[in-house]
Amino acid sequence: MAVLSITNLHKRFGDLEVLNGINLEVNEGEVIAIIGPSGSGKSTLLRCATLLESMDRGTMTYAGVKVVEEDAQSNSVYLPQNKLRQVKALFGLVFQNFNLFPHYNVLKNIIDAPICVQKRNKDEVIKEARALLAKMGLEDKEDAYPFQLSGGQQQRVSIARALINNPKILFFDEPTSALDPELTGEILKVIRNLAAENMTMVIVTHEIEFARNVADRIIFMAEGVIVEQGPPDEVICNPTLARTKAFLTNLAER
């Protein structure tokens, strides 16, 4: 079953066309890694999928709910705001720079939105948050503030915050790019564990070896289009297109 389906996604900023006809389907339990050079549209694709940016054209469906349709002029038309709030509970997003509230402690960073926005039961949310912190190895950090944590610990808090609503799909936008190599390993281990639990995930990453080991499918993007996609060993070890080969060769030479 498709958790997410995007058809013919177009997005431009002024005269710059960032996404040009993207089609993406993510099935339940699938892990997709998106790779490609800077400026290829990877992060913009995630921002459109998570409703942080609006699509200019195209359609999008989450778990059978049509979130975006096209009108007669091929413009994207979104659900009303009250319906979109319900859709937002279906996904979680982990940013590369953590995006924690600096004036909230760890526990409040995780529980604030479920309690204040979604009006969930406070005691229930706190219990779930503490279980997630234990899962992330941070059970002793609930009273700490972000500045008191390492980058890896902050990112694990961000992942716990994204998981608190039991999302159907989790998005990662280069989750290790702000971390040094030792802390990168912490986060990749967490993501591997989520993959082992059949968490549906879409991961924008430059960690090619990690993508090859964890993803069910690799998508290579360049200049706003999906150039090539398929099983990791095919795309990374035996790419069919010159553009993909050039990108992977450049990475290997760094």
Side-chain angles (χ1 to χ4, degrees):
M1 174 186 171
V3 177
L4 171 65
S5 182
I6 295 174
T7 304
N8 196 34
L9 166 54
H10 289 256
K11 177 65 181 179
R12 66 168 55 246
F13 296 104
D15 294 332
L16 178 64
E17 187 161 50
V18 180
L19 298 173
N20 184 11
I22 296 291
N23 297 309
L24 174 64
E25 187 164 287
V26 185
N27 294 314
E28 188 173 357
E30 188 175 25
V31 178
I32 293 177
I34 303 178
I35 63 173
S38 297
S40 60
K42 306 183 302 296
S43 293
T44 301
L45 171 57
L46 255 60
R47 290 180 65 83
C48 287
T50 55
L51 305 175
L52 293 175
E53 296 283 357
S54 58
M55 300 161 53
D56 297 329
R57 288 180 55 193
T59 65
M60 182 163 64
T61 302
Y62 265 107
V65 178
K66 184 65 73 70
V67 180
V68 187
E69 297 185 282
E70 282 193 349
D71 63 15
Q73 288 74 43
S74 296
N75 297 312
S76 291
V77 179
Y78 283 74
L79 285 174
Q81 280 298 324
N82 62 324
K83 297 287 183 62
L84 286 180
R85 279 194 291 271
Q86 298 173 21
V87 171
K88 288 177 181 178
L90 298 175
F91 59 78
L93 174 60
V94 178
F95 299 89
Q96 56 183 309
N97 291 318
F98 324 133
N99 280 31
L100 298 175
F101 293 111
H103 55 294
Y104 288 173
N105 66 20
V106 164
L107 186 65
K108 187 167 175 58
N109 261 285
I110 296 171
I111 67 174
D112 188 61
I115 293 172
C116 298
V117 179
Q118 298 178 341
K119 310 302 181 185
R120 292 174 56 192
N121 178 271
K122 182 177 180 179
D123 292 338
E124 177 184 295
V125 172
I126 289 174
K127 181 179 178 180
E128 290 181 19
R130 285 176 171 153
L132 284 168
L133 285 172
K135 184 176 183 177
M136 297 293 151
L138 297 171
E139 55 265 56
D140 60 338
K141 299 293 185 182
E142 69 172 63
D143 294 323
Y145 286 81
F147 77 92
Q148 298 172 309
L149 304 177
S150 70
Q153 289 171 329
Q154 289 185 64
Q155 193 61 295
R156 279 182 278 158
V157 173
S158 297
I159 294 171
R161 180 178 61 183
L163 289 169
I164 190 69
N165 292 319
N166 297 309
K168 289 186 175 293
I169 184 171
L170 201 55
F171 295 92
F172 293 85
D173 188 6
E174 298 190 19
T176 61
S177 65
L179 305 175
D180 63 34
E182 183 179 355
L183 299 179
T184 291
E186 291 181 17
I187 301 308
L188 298 185
K189 181 180 178 182
V190 170
I191 298 173
R192 283 192 187 94
N193 290 340
L194 291 172
E197 297 170 4
N198 294 317
M199 183 75 208
T200 308
M201 293 184 283
V202 177
I203 308 163
V204 170
T205 183
H206 288 298
E207 301 285 341
I208 299 299
E209 190 61 22
F210 165 75
R212 188 171 75 85
N213 291 332
V214 173
D216 300 299
R217 179 161 39 115
I218 301 279
I219 290 175
F220 172 63
M221 287 183 64
E223 298 175 351
V225 299
I226 293 175
V227 176
E228 188 166 354
Q229 64 177 306
D233 284 338
E234 288 184 14
V235 175
I236 293 174
C237 301
N238 296 292
T240 59
L241 299 176
R243 185 68 184 83
T244 315
K245 291 177 183 177
F247 170 75
L248 293 169
T249 299
N250 288 338
L251 273 187
E253 290 175 349
R254 288 179 185 173

